[in-house]
Amino acid sequence: MKGRNITQYGPGALLPAILLSACATTSASKAYLPAVDVPAMAETVPVGTANDDAADDPAIWRNAADPGASLIVGTDKKAGLYVYGLDGKVRDFVAAGALNNVGLREVTMADGSRRILVAASDRTDRAVPRIALFMLGGASGKLSSLGAVTFLPPGHAPAEAYGFCMGGPLRAGELARAYVVLKDGTVAEGALVEQGGSVAAMHLRDVKLATQSEGCVVDDAARTLYVAEEDIGIWKVPLDRETLGAEAFARVRDEDGLVDDVEGLAVARGADGKGWLVASSQGDNAYALFDLQTARLAGRFRIRGGAIDGTSDTDGIEIALGDFGPAFPEGLFAAQDGDNAPDAQNFKLLSWHAIRTALGLD
């Protein structure tokens, strides 16, 4: 942990004001920390909402039987949800309102069938946080809506469902765990369960960060949730404990490779168990990669070079390891591009092998 003191914050606890000021990054520190260039291998068709901040967050489904037929789900936070093939072409679009962050999981239903459950934070009503639910057809690439469920913690004031991520089930009878990050820094955890042939969400517990937060990701292997507090840094939340508590993981400062805002988070776990956490360092258009075993910064990269334009102002990111075909032999990294001018925003696709090689990772 680079010698940092680890402080835990339980439900309802806020960071001390002195820590907020100490962690703030000044404009002078945004001196473009060293980062290697990695080119995109492909890009998606732009989202339909033009001239606006619209594309936001991707999720990846790997087709183990036919890796080249894998799918990417991405949000247009002004309009709904897209499904793309690895060639970047649109396979489906569902007009579903203001869906911000998206996640997906393969789940086992009560009848024993395996389904692809897709869920997204629904900001259509800024006072009532909801989770929009879908099933994704792996062969068809089509989404079928299961509706939306309200997800406001008991006693919480009206709030906006901002960030979202999913994790594997932690108890019998669950399909998955869902984590909704409200804009005030509250992270609400719930269980997604099958109910009457559909999917319902049951609120379980919360953890509170002090300021605006959004990006989150679950490391299933370590049963740990990571959350990005935009101007402060990254927190880790062990999920095996009865009460959720946040521990400092990386801060907005040069030695941790992060420039505010800290946005999307993604975890890569190899077959050997080695894990990496990648964060969108939006303030300098880069991506910081951390070794999950040591919590040390392992390197930084930017998406640029090659025939496809690079990225800037990235919100959501995602990684999935494994064979995705010749262009992505070891894994796929997807990142939202906040400036795809003259076209609308879209998602850039990179080879994990290219990233790993550029950073000299084992």
Side-chain angles (χ1 to χ4, degrees), residues 205-360:
R205 50 190 180 170
D206 309 316
V207 63
K208 180 71 170 70
L209 304 181
T211 63
Q212 182 169 306
S213 307
E214 180 181 4
C216 67
V217 67
V218 177
D219 179 4
D220 284 330
R223 293 198 169 193
T224 300
L225 169 71
Y226 294 90
V227 185
E229 189 174 3
E230 294 184 3
D231 295 335
I232 305 302
I234 302 170
W235 300 87
K236 62 180 292 187
V237 181
L239 299 176
D240 275 340
R241 301 172 185 172
E242 183 176 348
T243 301
L244 295 182
E247 304 171 0
F249 180 81
R251 297 175 183 170
V252 170
R253 58 185 184 180
D254 287 0
E255 55 263 47
D256 283 359
L258 295 174
V259 178
D260 63 343
D261 296 333
V262 184
E263 292 284 343
L265 302 177
V267 164
R269 279 279 182 189
D272 59 0
K274 192 168 183 61
W276 309 95
L277 175 71
V278 182
S280 170
S281 177
Q282 192 183 76
D284 70 335
N285 300 321
Y287 308 89
L289 189 144
F290 300 88
D291 185 324
L292 286 175
Q293 292 179 299
T294 64
R296 293 182 180 275
L297 178 68
R300 287 165 35 91
F301 66 96
R302 292 190 175 88
I303 301 175
R304 61 187 182 190
I308 297 172
D309 65 304
T311 60
S312 60
D313 299 323
T314 294
D315 288 328
I317 60 175
E318 180 64 297
I319 300 173
L321 299 190
D323 177 19
F324 282 83
F328 311 101
E330 294 181 10
L332 174 66
F333 177 78
Q336 180 257 7
D337 183 8
D339 184 2
N340 191 43
D343 298 316
Q345 295 179 348
N346 70 347
F347 301 92
K348 300 299 193 286
L349 310 181
L350 280 73
S351 162
W352 172 250
H353 174 78
I355 296 170
R356 184 180 62 77
T357 301
L359 294 177

Side-chain angles (χ1 to χ4, degrees), residues 183-199:
K183 212 163 189 178
D184 69 353
T186 299
V187 184
E189 180 193 49
L192 298 179
V193 298
E194 189 174 358
Q195 190 175 86
S198 190
V199 177

Side-chain angles (χ1 to χ4, degrees), residues 1 8 12 28 42 71 80 94 103 146 176 179 191 211 222 243 257 261 295 306 354:
M1 285 284 191
Q8 290 195 11
L71 300 170
V94 176
L146 301 176
Y179 299 88
T211 63
T243 301
D261 296 333

Side-chain angles (χ1 to χ4, degrees), residues 16-225:
I18 189 171
L19 180 56
L20 297 181
S21 60
C23 288
T25 298
T26 66
S27 58
S29 70
K30 297 180 181 179
Y32 296 104
L33 305 171
V36 299
D37 291 347
V38 182
M41 297 291 293
E43 62 181 332
T44 67
V45 170
V47 298
T49 302
N51 302 316
D52 207 344
D53 179 24
D56 195 275
D57 190 44
I60 299 170
W61 175 70
R62 179 177 175 269
N63 186 332
D66 185 2
S70 299
L71 300 170
I72 301 156
V73 179
T75 59
D76 178 336
K77 60 188 176 186
K78 310 295 183 181
L81 205 55
Y82 282 88
V83 180
Y84 304 97
L86 295 186
D87 59 2
K89 295 180 179 179
V90 176
R91 300 285 298 278
D92 195 20
F93 172 73
V94 176
L99 304 186
N100 199 54
N101 287 180
V102 64
L104 61 79
R105 292 276 160 166
E106 288 196 30
V107 300
T108 302
M109 307 300 288
D111 63 3
S113 64
R114 294 285 289 173
R115 305 287 299 278
I116 307 167
L117 177 63
V118 177
S121 52
D122 187 343
R123 303 167 67 194
T124 304
D125 185 335
R126 299 299 174 95
V128 181
R130 297 187 302 175
I131 302 173
L133 298 165
F134 307 84
M135 287 295 183
L136 173 63
S140 68
K142 303 298 182 183
L143 290 163
S144 56
S145 176
L146 301 176
V149 293
T150 300
F151 207 77
L152 183 67
H156 197 286
E160 177 180 342
Y162 199 41
F164 179 81
C165 55
M166 295 174 72
L170 297 179
R171 295 177 184 170
E174 299 176 352
L175 298 174
R177 287 284 170 106
Y179 299 88
V180 178
V181 184
L182 306 181
K183 212 163 189 178
D184 69 353
T186 299
V187 184
E189 180 193 49
L192 298 179
V193 298
E194 189 174 358
Q195 190 175 86
S198 190
V199 177
M202 299 189 308
H203 175 267
L204 297 174
R205 50 190 180 170
D206 309 316
V207 63
K208 180 71 170 70
L209 304 181
T211 63
Q212 182 169 306
S213 307
E214 180 181 4
C216 67
V217 67
V218 177
D219 179 4
D220 284 330
R223 293 198 169 193
T224 300
L225 169 71

